[in-house]
Amino acid sequence: MVRAAVLPAVGAPLEITEIHLPDPGPGQVRVRLAAAGVCHSDLSLFDGTMRVPVPAVLGHEGAGTVVAVGEGVAHLAPGDGVVLNWAPSCGGCHACSLGEVWLCANALNGAAEVHARTADGTDLHPGLNVAAFAQETVVPASCVLPLPEGIPLTDAALLGCAVLTGYGAVHHSARVRPGETVAVHGVGGVGLAAIQAARIAGAAKIVAVDVSPQKEELARAAGATDYVVASDTTARAIRGLTGKQGVDVAVECVGRASTIRAAWDCTRRGGRTTVVGIGGKDQQVTFNALEIFHWGRTLSGCVYGNSNPAQDLPVLAEHVRAGRLDLGALVTERIALEGIPAAFANMLAGKGGRALVVF
């Protein structure tokens, strides 16, 4: 029996309860969690923006220690530190054959499996494959990445989603070059990672945008050179900071039609707009045909930072060890499992950066 945060139904209050977690079967690994980040994607599962089978144990950004391995798992052993990978690539679908593992057609198949059971025997699913909002979890070995040397286990949880996504959006999707100007819309965990990534890439100007004036200090500590409080005049304000041209790159980390439109509008002619935020089907963004021609901008979606976790994790670890990437700076609150509902409320209210569940 382990304690976990269970979503009984879409939109229903989370239940912090004990669940029956099985021993690892063939090809599986049991992990004792050290920490798990509270991500906006968890909120999207909670409110139904993203659909997965329920009831489910939420949580997908985590790190911990292997406590047991199933038959056939030879590359991991009890005591190993690991980072959870919620979107493992299958290696055989069309996207994987193209090297675009972040678009793997089978990455979330595990969410339909039975992960554990409640005390009364009800089947539970792993929300995004790894069920990290629990003291321990059992996952396929493909969902586990070795913890890079020199990375604190608790902070490493952030590598599993926020940092891979924010860093990847800047380096893989937008491909920010030294000297370019960047605007990051949304200063949550992913946004803060994107700001740090833009600084690492050598951006000359980094404009952070958020509805909350209180996040300016967080943004500047991460590397933002300027801060704009989001409003109807956001794009105009950003153009005013860039010689009336607009930024070379805008990264949208919110997932709302208004912020996607603002990110597009603040990008220079011929610039790149990358959308990271996950929005609902009701969030319709409109463009007219003339402006698409006239501005010559590129608008692109970005899934999991367009990252290959197995390849990118060592790169991120080197940035951490060298002091270029500060994982702890993303965290504004350390909580217990019982604090997740309040963390969701803060997220909706636009407060803070990343909340980290520490076990």
Side-chain angles (χ1 to χ4, degrees), residues 327-348:
L327 299 178
L330 276 64
V331 180
T332 54
E333 189 178 18
R334 295 175 187 267
I335 61 175
L337 281 172
E338 289 80 2
I340 296 174
F344 281 174
N346 286 339
M347 202 178 298
L348 285 170

Side-chain angles (χ1 to χ4, degrees), residues 2-7 14-17 19 33 35-43 45-46 56-62 84 115 126-128 130-137 335-341 343-344 347 354-359:
V2 300
R3 296 179 71 248
V6 174
L7 177 67
L14 285 182
E15 297 176 356
I16 311 302
T17 185
I19 64 172
L33 272 296
V38 182
C39 178
H40 202 281
S41 296
D42 298 308
L43 183 59
L45 296 178
F46 169 79
V57 179
L58 299 186
H60 64 281
E61 178 184 87
L84 298 181
H115 170 73
L128 282 177
V130 297
F133 287 166
Q135 292 171 317
E136 296 186 8
T137 187
I335 61 175
L337 281 172
E338 289 80 2
I340 296 174
F344 281 174
M347 202 178 298
R354 197 51 128 217
L356 191 67
V357 179
V358 179
F359 295 93

